[in-house]
Amino acid sequence: MTLDIPNLKDFDQRLRDEAGEDLADLIVDEPTKKTQIIAIYGKGGIGKSFTLANLSHMMAEQGKRVLLIGCDPKSDTTSLLFGGKACPTIIETSTKKKLAGEEVKIGDVCFKRGGVFAMELGGPEVGRGCGGRGIIHGFELLEKLGFHDWDFDYVLLDFLGDVVCGGFGLPIARDMAQKVILVGSNDLQSLYVANNVCSAVEYFRKLGGNVGVAGLVINKDDGTGEAQAFAKAVDIPVLASIPQDDDLRKKSANYQIVGTSESHWGSLFAELGLNVAEAPPVRPAPLSQDGLLDLFDGSDTGAGVVLEPATDADMRGKNAKPVKSLEVVYDDV
């Protein structure tokens, strides 16, 4: 009796071809899961919470089931949605319930308004604990509450982009989200953060990750164009440009929702909602530090400065003394 043994040499070339492929180029399709989990990153104070509160409200008006999760230790995401009222955070509630010997229930941490379901992960007390670890603990608790069985069209995660530790990079590192949206403005610091997030996405894509960048939301757009230039340079689309407008500033400061058809700004957020839903995750091309600086006028970034090396004498200052040379000098013969 002879065994039908496959000839593995037939697979040699195919295996070699697959081994030579860049994993980051293998995953380019749009998300196919029913629930789109979208992580929104941006510099602290750039307007992520303003953007997300209004975006989530508008998407709910458009008939979508939306869950908004604040993952920023400041816990300001839901404050705007709930008219300034802070809701109990998951971490704080979990601690209190554990001390009382009780289990956390959905109604303890999740609240709703205008069709949007929202909750805050929270963070540690100032100077105590790690914010990133708090994020991880919060998601572990969400899984216990049945996160993977919940029925939502969109789950929006608000993440602080300034912090680059593993906890805040969780959605990218663990493929928890299908795509990332960046919020930035025409300033160097917010685009620096956006570029860092692009670098993180690129890094994990090379390791076989699925997460891509869906695009950039330009907030407080004053028309100078640096954010538009950044999006073009890293090869991602601009999903919306929210103007620098005093009416928007006042309404945001007063915790008023403008992401509604009843608002003058409703059409802007309606278009953003459609763009967020349809934009596929793409692989960004993060810039070098010099490339990022080149987006700005040289007079604003200090272009032309030449690095002058310091010397040992510079460092010692008034304590500087001549150093005897060990070089042997021969007299002329």
Side-chain angles (χ1 to χ4, degrees):
M1 182 173 113
T2 59
L3 296 176
D4 186 13
I5 301 175
N7 182 6
L8 296 180
K9 289 185 178 181
D10 294 341
F11 297 93
D12 278 2
Q13 189 57 47
R14 192 182 77 183
L15 292 173
R16 290 176 186 276
D17 292 341
E18 289 180 358
E21 288 182 311
D22 187 341
L23 291 174
D25 291 326
L26 297 180
I27 305 163
V28 294
D29 297 330
E30 297 185 32
T32 55
K33 293 181 181 178
K34 178 184 182 300
T35 302
Q36 281 197 44
I37 302 178
I38 306 173
I40 291 84
Y41 283 90
K43 174 182 174 292
I46 201 60
K48 297 187 310 304
S49 299
F50 163 79
T51 302
L52 275 177
N54 287 289
L55 170 62
S56 60
H57 194 276
M58 176 54 73
M59 294 180 87
E61 276 195 13
Q62 292 172 334
K64 305 299 183 183
R65 282 179 54 82
V66 181
L67 172 63
L68 174 61
I69 303 179
C71 307
D72 187 324
K74 296 193 303 295
S75 299
D76 56 356
T77 306
T78 56
S79 294
L80 201 151
L81 182 65
F82 296 133
K85 187 174 181 61
C87 64
T89 69
I90 292 175
I91 293 176
E92 176 188 24
T93 304
S94 174
T95 301
K96 290 181 178 179
K97 290 286 186 178
K98 186 175 181 180
L99 291 173
E102 301 174 359
E103 294 289 331
V104 178
K105 299 179 181 179
I106 291 294
D108 297 324
V109 294
C110 189
F111 307 88
K112 52 188 179 180
R113 179 192 179 192
V116 181
F117 294 80
M119 58 180 69
E120 286 280 359
L121 289 188
E125 294 182 44
V126 177
R128 303 180 187 179
C130 168
R133 177 56 200 161
I135 298 297
I136 295 171
H137 171 71
F139 276 102
E140 288 173 346
L141 182 56
L142 288 181
E143 290 180 1
K144 292 179 181 178
L145 290 173
F147 179 76
H148 297 295
D149 296 323
W150 295 346
D151 179 29
F152 288 99
D153 297 307
Y154 297 92
V155 177
L156 306 178
L157 310 174
D158 179 2
F159 272 91
L160 181 65
D162 303 68
V163 182
V164 293
C165 73
F168 290 96
L170 199 67
I172 302 172
R174 294 192 181 178
D175 276 356
M176 290 179 59
Q178 289 101 341
K179 56 190 182 184
V180 164
I181 291 174
L182 306 171
V183 179
S185 189
N186 294 311
D187 69 277
L188 179 59
Q189 292 303 315
S190 74
L191 296 182
Y192 178 83
V193 168
N195 194 55
N196 268 354
V197 176
C198 286
S199 296
V201 169
E202 171 72 357
Y203 172 75
F204 286 107
R205 286 294 289 264
K206 287 182 176 179
L207 296 181
N210 296 326
V211 182
V213 176
L216 173 70
V217 176
I218 305 175
N219 192 33
K220 303 176 185 177
D221 189 3
D222 58 5
T224 54
E226 290 87 355
Q228 289 273 2
F230 169 78
K232 183 177 180 180
V234 300
D235 199 22
I236 61 174
V238 173
L239 301 177
S241 291
I242 303 172
Q244 182 173 281
D245 188 278
D246 197 50
D247 180 55
L248 283 175
R249 182 188 63 79
K250 290 178 179 178
K251 283 182 167 57
S252 177
N254 291 323
Y255 300 102
Q256 295 182 35
I257 290 293
V258 297
T260 172
S261 58
E262 299 176 359
S263 167
H264 166 70
W265 303 100
S267 59
L268 189 157
F269 283 94
E271 183 178 1
L272 174 59
L274 294 175
N275 288 341
V276 166
E278 297 173 0
V282 299
R283 180 183 177 184
L287 303 176
S288 66
Q289 177 70 3
D290 287 340
L292 191 61
L293 291 175
D294 286 343
L295 299 176
F296 294 82
D297 188 310
S299 61
D300 295 330
T301 60
V305 173
V306 177
L307 298 179
E308 181 183 354
T311 66
D312 181 71
D314 292 332
M315 308 306 288
R316 294 177 182 274
K318 64 181 180 180
N319 297 321
K321 295 179 180 179
V323 179
K324 293 182 179 180
S325 174
L326 297 178
E327 181 183 2
V328 176
V329 179
Y330 297 94
D331 295 333
D332 294 333
V333 179

mmCIF file of all heavy atoms in Angstrom, residues 165-208:
data_model
loop_
_atom_site.group_PDB
_atom_site.id
_atom_site.type_symbol
_atom_site.label_atom_id
_atom_site.label_comp_id
_atom_site.label_asym_id
_atom_site.label_seq_id
_atom_site.Cartn_x
_atom_site.Cartn_y
_atom_site.Cartn_z
ATOM 1 N N CYS A 165 1.578 55.631 26.075
ATOM 2 C CA CYS A 165 1.811 54.357 26.753
ATOM 3 C C CYS A 165 0.879 53.284 26.194
ATOM 4 O O CYS A 165 -0.091 53.578 25.499
ATOM 5 C CB CYS A 165 1.602 54.503 28.269
ATOM 6 S SG CYS A 165 -0.117 54.661 28.770
ATOM 7 N N GLY A 166 1.164 52.040 26.540
ATOM 8 C CA GLY A 166 0.411 50.924 25.996
ATOM 9 C C GLY A 166 -1.068 50.949 26.332
ATOM 10 O O GLY A 166 -1.887 50.485 25.546
ATOM 11 N N GLY A 167 -1.424 51.479 27.497
ATOM 12 C CA GLY A 167 -2.827 51.510 27.886
ATOM 13 C C GLY A 167 -3.661 52.346 26.934
ATOM 14 O O GLY A 167 -4.736 51.938 26.483
ATOM 15 N N PHE A 168 -3.158 53.527 26.602
ATOM 16 C CA PHE A 168 -3.907 54.401 25.704
ATOM 17 C C PHE A 168 -3.807 53.939 24.249
ATOM 18 O O PHE A 168 -4.603 54.349 23.411
ATOM 19 C CB PHE A 168 -3.415 55.843 25.843
ATOM 20 C CG PHE A 168 -3.782 56.459 27.159
ATOM 21 C CD1 PHE A 168 -2.890 56.477 28.215
ATOM 22 C CD2 PHE A 168 -5.043 56.991 27.360
ATOM 23 C CE1 PHE A 168 -3.234 57.018 29.442
ATOM 24 C CE2 PHE A 168 -5.402 57.541 28.582
ATOM 25 C CZ PHE A 168 -4.495 57.549 29.628
ATOM 26 N N GLY A 169 -2.841 53.084 23.957
ATOM 27 C CA GLY A 169 -2.726 52.521 22.616
ATOM 28 C C GLY A 169 -3.450 51.203 22.472
ATOM 29 O O GLY A 169 -3.333 50.523 21.450
ATOM 30 N N LEU A 170 -4.233 50.831 23.486
ATOM 31 C CA LEU A 170 -4.899 49.525 23.530
ATOM 32 C C LEU A 170 -5.722 49.207 22.281
ATOM 33 O O LEU A 170 -5.589 48.111 21.720
ATOM 34 C CB LEU A 170 -5.785 49.461 24.775
ATOM 35 C CG LEU A 170 -6.223 48.078 25.256
ATOM 36 C CD1 LEU A 170 -5.017 47.290 25.747
ATOM 37 C CD2 LEU A 170 -7.254 48.208 26.372
ATOM 38 N N PRO A 171 -6.590 50.107 21.798
ATOM 39 C CA PRO A 171 -7.405 49.756 20.624
ATOM 40 C C PRO A 171 -6.577 49.439 19.396
ATOM 41 O O PRO A 171 -6.954 48.597 18.581
ATOM 42 C CB PRO A 171 -8.248 51.025 20.401
ATOM 43 C CG PRO A 171 -8.250 51.721 21.708
ATOM 44 C CD PRO A 171 -6.914 51.444 22.311
ATOM 45 N N ILE A 172 -5.422 50.111 19.255
ATOM 46 C CA ILE A 172 -4.555 49.885 18.104
ATOM 47 C C ILE A 172 -3.753 48.596 18.289
ATOM 48 O O ILE A 172 -3.678 47.755 17.395
ATOM 49 C CB ILE A 172 -3.603 51.076 17.901
ATOM 50 C CG1 ILE A 172 -4.407 52.369 17.715
ATOM 51 C CG2 ILE A 172 -2.680 50.839 16.717
ATOM 52 C CD1 ILE A 172 -3.560 53.626 17.687
ATOM 53 N N ALA A 173 -3.173 48.437 19.486
ATOM 54 C CA ALA A 173 -2.288 47.299 19.740
ATOM 55 C C ALA A 173 -3.035 45.968 19.752
ATOM 56 O O ALA A 173 -2.503 44.946 19.314
ATOM 57 C CB ALA A 173 -1.559 47.501 21.071
ATOM 58 N N ARG A 174 -4.266 45.974 20.253
ATOM 59 C CA ARG A 174 -5.016 44.723 20.400
ATOM 60 C C ARG A 174 -6.126 44.557 19.368
ATOM 61 O O ARG A 174 -6.994 43.703 19.510
ATOM 62 C CB ARG A 174 -5.608 44.636 21.810
ATOM 63 C CG ARG A 174 -4.555 44.513 22.905
ATOM 64 C CD ARG A 174 -5.201 44.148 24.226
ATOM 65 N NE ARG A 174 -4.240 44.053 25.306
ATOM 66 C CZ ARG A 174 -4.570 43.780 26.572
ATOM 67 N NH1 ARG A 174 -5.843 43.577 26.887
ATOM 68 N NH2 ARG A 174 -3.648 43.713 27.510
ATOM 69 N N ASP A 175 -6.121 45.396 18.331
ATOM 70 C CA ASP A 175 -7.154 45.314 17.294
ATOM 71 C C ASP A 175 -8.564 45.420 17.878
ATOM 72 O O ASP A 175 -9.499 44.763 17.410
ATOM 73 C CB ASP A 175 -7.037 43.996 16.508
ATOM 74 C CG ASP A 175 -6.010 44.092 15.395
ATOM 75 O OD1 ASP A 175 -5.453 45.185 15.197
ATOM 76 O OD2 ASP A 175 -5.756 43.078 14.735
ATOM 77 N N MET A 176 -8.727 46.228 18.909
ATOM 78 C CA MET A 176 -10.051 46.402 19.507
ATOM 79 C C MET A 176 -10.932 47.283 18.631
ATOM 80 O O MET A 176 -12.156 47.226 18.715
ATOM 81 C CB MET A 176 -9.921 47.024 20.897
ATOM 82 C CG MET A 176 -9.312 46.101 21.924
ATOM 83 S SD MET A 176 -9.155 46.909 23.520
ATOM 84 C CE MET A 176 -10.855 47.336 23.856
ATOM 85 N N ALA A 177 -10.310 48.127 17.817
ATOM 86 C CA ALA A 177 -11.060 48.997 16.916
ATOM 87 C C ALA A 177 -10.729 48.630 15.474
ATOM 88 O O ALA A 177 -9.662 48.086 15.196
ATOM 89 C CB ALA A 177 -10.701 50.462 17.182
ATOM 90 N N GLN A 178 -11.664 48.916 14.577
ATOM 91 C CA GLN A 178 -11.368 48.694 13.166
ATOM 92 C C GLN A 178 -10.659 49.887 12.549
ATOM 93 O O GLN A 178 -9.894 49.741 11.614
ATOM 94 C CB GLN A 178 -12.658 48.416 12.369
ATOM 95 C CG GLN A 178 -13.266 47.072 12.668
ATOM 96 C CD GLN A 178 -14.442 47.214 13.626
ATOM 97 O OE1 GLN A 178 -14.577 48.223 14.303
ATOM 98 N NE2 GLN A 178 -15.284 46.205 13.681
ATOM 99 N N LYS A 179 -10.951 51.073 13.097
ATOM 100 C CA LYS A 179 -10.305 52.243 12.515
ATOM 101 C C LYS A 179 -10.156 53.362 13.535
ATOM 102 O O LYS A 179 -10.811 53.380 14.574
ATOM 103 C CB LYS A 179 -11.082 52.737 11.293
ATOM 104 C CG LYS A 179 -12.553 53.067 11.526
ATOM 105 C CD LYS A 179 -13.245 53.298 10.179
ATOM 106 C CE LYS A 179 -14.706 53.688 10.334
ATOM 107 N NZ LYS A 179 -15.397 53.806 9.026
ATOM 108 N N VAL A 180 -9.248 54.277 13.187
ATOM 109 C CA VAL A 180 -8.912 55.412 14.041
ATOM 110 C C VAL A 180 -9.289 56.703 13.325
ATOM 111 O O VAL A 180 -9.109 56.818 12.107
ATOM 112 C CB VAL A 180 -7.391 55.417 14.354
ATOM 113 C CG1 VAL A 180 -6.949 56.762 14.907
ATOM 114 C CG2 VAL A 180 -7.047 54.312 15.332
ATOM 115 N N ILE A 181 -9.828 57.639 14.079
ATOM 116 C CA ILE A 181 -10.067 58.987 13.558
ATOM 117 C C ILE A 181 -9.241 59.960 14.385
ATOM 118 O O ILE A 181 -9.205 59.873 15.621
ATOM 119 C CB ILE A 181 -11.567 59.349 13.616
ATOM 120 C CG1 ILE A 181 -12.333 58.500 12.609
ATOM 121 C CG2 ILE A 181 -11.786 60.828 13.328
ATOM 122 C CD1 ILE A 181 -13.836 58.672 12.690
ATOM 123 N N LEU A 182 -8.582 60.876 13.710
ATOM 124 C CA LEU A 182 -7.747 61.875 14.372
ATOM 125 C C LEU A 182 -8.474 63.208 14.425
ATOM 126 O O LEU A 182 -9.171 63.589 13.479
ATOM 127 C CB LEU A 182 -6.428 62.047 13.613
ATOM 128 C CG LEU A 182 -5.618 60.771 13.366
ATOM 129 C CD1 LEU A 182 -4.457 61.054 12.429
ATOM 130 C CD2 LEU A 182 -5.112 60.204 14.682
ATOM 131 N N VAL A 183 -8.313 63.912 15.543
ATOM 132 C CA VAL A 183 -8.832 65.271 15.664
ATOM 133 C C VAL A 183 -7.637 66.188 15.862
ATOM 134 O O VAL A 183 -6.819 65.975 16.760
ATOM 135 C CB VAL A 183 -9.816 65.422 16.840
ATOM 136 C CG1 VAL A 183 -10.311 66.865 16.950
ATOM 137 C CG2 VAL A 183 -11.005 64.478 16.669
ATOM 138 N N GLY A 184 -7.510 67.179 15.003
ATOM 139 C CA GLY A 184 -6.375 68.091 15.092
ATOM 140 C C GLY A 184 -6.767 69.486 14.654
ATOM 141 O O GLY A 184 -7.922 69.749 14.296
ATOM 142 N N SER A 185 -5.804 70.370 14.655
ATOM 143 C CA SER A 185 -6.033 71.749 14.252
ATOM 144 C C SER A 185 -4.804 72.241 13.510
ATOM 145 O O SER A 185 -3.861 71.477 13.269
ATOM 146 C CB SER A 185 -6.327 72.613 15.488
ATOM 147 O OG SER A 185 -6.761 73.902 15.100
ATOM 148 N N ASN A 186 -4.802 73.502 13.151
ATOM 149 C CA ASN A 186 -3.669 74.060 12.413
ATOM 150 C C ASN A 186 -2.558 74.516 13.348
ATOM 151 O O ASN A 186 -2.057 75.640 13.239
ATOM 152 C CB ASN A 186 -4.137 75.239 11.549
ATOM 153 C CG ASN A 186 -5.086 74.799 10.449
ATOM 154 O OD1 ASN A 186 -4.806 73.852 9.729
ATOM 155 N ND2 ASN A 186 -6.211 75.468 10.327
ATOM 156 N N ASP A 187 -2.173 73.665 14.280
ATOM 157 C CA ASP A 187 -1.074 73.994 15.182
ATOM 158 C C ASP A 187 -0.135 72.809 15.282
ATOM 159 O O ASP A 187 -0.543 71.651 15.126
ATOM 160 C CB ASP A 187 -1.587 74.403 16.568
ATOM 161 C CG ASP A 187 -2.199 73.237 17.311
ATOM 162 O OD1 ASP A 187 -3.380 72.930 17.079
ATOM 163 O OD2 ASP A 187 -1.493 72.628 18.128
ATOM 164 N N LEU A 188 1.114 73.090 15.547
ATOM 165 C CA LEU A 188 2.150 72.061 15.524
ATOM 166 C C LEU A 188 1.908 70.965 16.543
ATOM 167 O O LEU A 188 2.073 69.782 16.245
ATOM 168 C CB LEU A 188 3.516 72.712 15.759
ATOM 169 C CG LEU A 188 4.717 71.762 15.796
ATOM 170 C CD1 LEU A 188 4.830 70.993 14.488
ATOM 171 C CD2 LEU A 188 5.997 72.542 16.068
ATOM 172 N N GLN A 189 1.500 71.325 17.768
ATOM 173 C CA GLN A 189 1.373 70.328 18.820
ATOM 174 C C GLN A 189 0.277 69.310 18.522
ATOM 175 O O GLN A 189 0.455 68.111 18.740
ATOM 176 C CB GLN A 189 1.105 71.013 20.171
ATOM 177 C CG GLN A 189 2.284 71.811 20.698
ATOM 178 C CD GLN A 189 3.529 70.962 20.843
ATOM 179 O OE1 GLN A 189 3.479 69.845 21.346
ATOM 180 N NE2 GLN A 189 4.664 71.490 20.396
ATOM 181 N N SER A 190 -0.864 69.752 18.024
ATOM 182 C CA SER A 190 -1.949 68.798 17.741
ATOM 183 C C SER A 190 -1.585 67.899 16.565
ATOM 184 O O SER A 190 -1.933 66.717 16.544
ATOM 185 C CB SER A 190 -3.258 69.531 17.469
ATOM 186 O OG SER A 190 -3.262 70.144 16.199
ATOM 187 N N LEU A 191 -0.872 68.431 15.590
ATOM 188 C CA LEU A 191 -0.464 67.613 14.452
ATOM 189 C C LEU A 191 0.683 66.682 14.835
ATOM 190 O O LEU A 191 0.826 65.593 14.267
ATOM 191 C CB LEU A 191 -0.077 68.494 13.269
ATOM 192 C CG LEU A 191 -1.226 69.329 12.692
ATOM 193 C CD1 LEU A 191 -0.757 70.134 11.487
ATOM 194 C CD2 LEU A 191 -2.416 68.456 12.320
ATOM 195 N N TYR A 192 1.500 67.094 15.796
ATOM 196 C CA TYR A 192 2.546 66.214 16.323
ATOM 197 C C TYR A 192 1.903 64.978 16.956
ATOM 198 O O TYR A 192 2.346 63.847 16.732
ATOM 199 C CB TYR A 192 3.382 66.963 17.355
ATOM 200 C CG TYR A 192 4.457 66.129 18.007
ATOM 201 C CD1 TYR A 192 5.697 65.938 17.400
ATOM 202 C CD2 TYR A 192 4.228 65.510 19.237
ATOM 203 C CE1 TYR A 192 6.680 65.168 17.997
ATOM 204 C CE2 TYR A 192 5.199 64.734 19.843
ATOM 205 C CZ TYR A 192 6.426 64.566 19.221
ATOM 206 O OH TYR A 192 7.390 63.797 19.820
ATOM 207 N N VAL A 193 0.846 65.198 17.740
ATOM 208 C CA VAL A 193 0.119 64.082 18.361
ATOM 209 C C VAL A 193 -0.517 63.199 17.287
ATOM 210 O O VAL A 193 -0.441 61.965 17.348
ATOM 211 C CB VAL A 193 -0.949 64.621 19.333
ATOM 212 C CG1 VAL A 193 -1.897 63.505 19.767
ATOM 213 C CG2 VAL A 193 -0.289 65.254 20.549
ATOM 214 N N ALA A 194 -1.152 63.822 16.300
ATOM 215 C CA ALA A 194 -1.787 63.059 15.222
ATOM 216 C C ALA A 194 -0.753 62.218 14.481
ATOM 217 O O ALA A 194 -1.013 61.060 14.131
ATOM 218 C CB ALA A 194 -2.484 64.015 14.254
ATOM 219 N N ASN A 195 0.421 62.778 14.263
ATOM 220 C CA ASN A 195 1.482 62.049 13.571
ATOM 221 C C ASN A 195 1.982 60.879 14.420
ATOM 222 O O ASN A 195 2.289 59.803 13.895
ATOM 223 C CB ASN A 195 2.638 63.002 13.257
ATOM 224 C CG ASN A 195 3.618 62.424 12.256
ATOM 225 O OD1 ASN A 195 3.255 62.022 11.164
ATOM 226 N ND2 ASN A 195 4.890 62.363 12.640
ATOM 227 N N ASN A 196 2.055 61.074 15.738
ATOM 228 C CA ASN A 196 2.441 59.986 16.641
ATOM 229 C C ASN A 196 1.463 58.821 16.556
ATOM 230 O O ASN A 196 1.860 57.654 16.559
ATOM 231 C CB ASN A 196 2.510 60.486 18.087
ATOM 232 C CG ASN A 196 3.895 60.970 18.464
ATOM 233 O OD1 ASN A 196 4.843 60.831 17.696
ATOM 234 N ND2 ASN A 196 4.024 61.549 19.638
ATOM 235 N N VAL A 197 0.179 59.132 16.506
ATOM 236 C CA VAL A 197 -0.833 58.081 16.411
ATOM 237 C C VAL A 197 -0.695 57.345 15.076
ATOM 238 O O VAL A 197 -0.819 56.113 15.013
ATOM 239 C CB VAL A 197 -2.246 58.659 16.575
ATOM 240 C CG1 VAL A 197 -3.307 57.575 16.380
ATOM 241 C CG2 VAL A 197 -2.408 59.299 17.957
ATOM 242 N N CYS A 198 -0.416 58.087 14.005
ATOM 243 C CA CYS A 198 -0.181 57.448 12.707
ATOM 244 C C CYS A 198 1.015 56.500 12.789
ATOM 245 O O CYS A 198 0.994 55.407 12.208
ATOM 246 C CB CYS A 198 0.071 58.506 11.630
ATOM 247 S SG CYS A 198 -1.398 59.409 11.102
ATOM 248 N N SER A 199 2.051 56.917 13.515
ATOM 249 C CA SER A 199 3.236 56.069 13.685
ATOM 250 C C SER A 199 2.881 54.788 14.427
ATOM 251 O O SER A 199 3.372 53.702 14.092
ATOM 252 C CB SER A 199 4.331 56.827 14.442
ATOM 253 O OG SER A 199 4.787 57.932 13.696
ATOM 254 N N ALA A 200 2.018 54.905 15.451
ATOM 255 C CA ALA A 200 1.593 53.724 16.207
ATOM 256 C C ALA A 200 0.796 52.770 15.321
ATOM 257 O O ALA A 200 0.983 51.552 15.350
ATOM 258 C CB ALA A 200 0.763 54.146 17.415
ATOM 259 N N VAL A 201 -0.103 53.327 14.515
ATOM 260 C CA VAL A 201 -0.896 52.504 13.598
ATOM 261 C C VAL A 201 0.017 51.787 12.611
ATOM 262 O O VAL A 201 -0.123 50.586 12.358
ATOM 263 C CB VAL A 201 -1.917 53.376 12.841
ATOM 264 C CG1 VAL A 201 -2.565 52.585 11.691
ATOM 265 C CG2 VAL A 201 -2.997 53.876 13.792
ATOM 266 N N GLU A 202 0.980 52.511 12.061
ATOM 267 C CA GLU A 202 1.916 51.919 11.105
ATOM 268 C C GLU A 202 2.730 50.807 11.749
ATOM 269 O O GLU A 202 2.957 49.745 11.151
ATOM 270 C CB GLU A 202 2.841 53.024 10.571
ATOM 271 C CG GLU A 202 3.997 52.533 9.723
ATOM 272 C CD GLU A 202 3.559 52.030 8.357
ATOM 273 O OE1 GLU A 202 2.340 52.001 8.090
ATOM 274 O OE2 GLU A 202 4.429 51.645 7.565
ATOM 275 N N TYR A 203 3.167 51.030 12.985
ATOM 276 C CA TYR A 203 3.972 50.031 13.689
ATOM 277 C C TYR A 203 3.208 48.723 13.860
ATOM 278 O O TYR A 203 3.710 47.640 13.550
ATOM 279 C CB TYR A 203 4.387 50.574 15.060
ATOM 280 C CG TYR A 203 5.049 49.553 15.952
ATOM 281 C CD1 TYR A 203 6.358 49.144 15.728
ATOM 282 C CD2 TYR A 203 4.358 48.994 17.027
ATOM 283 C CE1 TYR A 203 6.975 48.202 16.540
ATOM 284 C CE2 TYR A 203 4.963 48.051 17.850
ATOM 285 C CZ TYR A 203 6.268 47.660 17.601
ATOM 286 O OH TYR A 203 6.867 46.716 18.403
ATOM 287 N N PHE A 204 1.964 48.823 14.332
ATOM 288 C CA PHE A 204 1.189 47.596 14.570
ATOM 289 C C PHE A 204 0.682 46.976 13.278
ATOM 290 O O PHE A 204 0.442 45.771 13.225
ATOM 291 C CB PHE A 204 0.045 47.882 15.549
ATOM 292 C CG PHE A 204 0.514 48.046 16.967
ATOM 293 C CD1 PHE A 204 0.535 49.296 17.562
ATOM 294 C CD2 PHE A 204 0.970 46.959 17.684
ATOM 295 C CE1 PHE A 204 0.996 49.449 18.873
ATOM 296 C CE2 PHE A 204 1.435 47.101 18.985
ATOM 297 C CZ PHE A 204 1.450 48.348 19.579
ATOM 298 N N ARG A 205 0.521 47.771 12.221
ATOM 299 C CA ARG A 205 0.172 47.175 10.932
ATOM 300 C C ARG A 205 1.311 46.288 10.436
ATOM 301 O O ARG A 205 1.101 45.239 9.841
ATOM 302 C CB ARG A 205 -0.125 48.265 9.892
ATOM 303 C CG ARG A 205 -1.453 48.976 10.067
ATOM 304 C CD ARG A 205 -2.641 48.092 9.842
ATOM 305 N NE ARG A 205 -2.836 47.733 8.455
ATOM 306 C CZ ARG A 205 -3.651 48.359 7.615
ATOM 307 N NH1 ARG A 205 -4.323 49.415 8.042
ATOM 308 N NH2 ARG A 205 -3.795 47.939 6.382
ATOM 309 N N LYS A 206 2.543 46.701 10.673
ATOM 310 C CA LYS A 206 3.695 45.894 10.258
ATOM 311 C C LYS A 206 3.783 44.592 11.043
ATOM 312 O O LYS A 206 4.409 43.638 10.590
ATOM 313 C CB LYS A 206 4.982 46.699 10.432
ATOM 314 C CG LYS A 206 5.157 47.805 9.407
ATOM 315 C CD LYS A 206 6.471 48.534 9.584
ATOM 316 C CE LYS A 206 6.668 49.564 8.488
ATOM 317 N NZ LYS A 206 7.932 50.322 8.639
ATOM 318 N N LEU A 207 3.158 44.581 12.221
ATOM 319 C CA LEU A 207 3.131 43.362 13.025
ATOM 320 C C LEU A 207 1.921 42.489 12.686
ATOM 321 O O LEU A 207 1.683 41.470 13.332
ATOM 322 C CB LEU A 207 3.110 43.706 14.517
ATOM 323 C CG LEU A 207 4.338 44.440 15.072
ATOM 324 C CD1 LEU A 207 4.172 44.691 16.565
ATOM 325 C CD2 LEU A 207 5.610 43.642 14.807
ATOM 326 N N GLY A 208 1.147 42.914 11.700
ATOM 327 C CA GLY A 208 -0.018 42.136 11.296
ATOM 328 C C GLY A 208 -1.328 42.665 11.822
ATOM 329 O O GLY A 208 -2.349 41.990 11.722
#
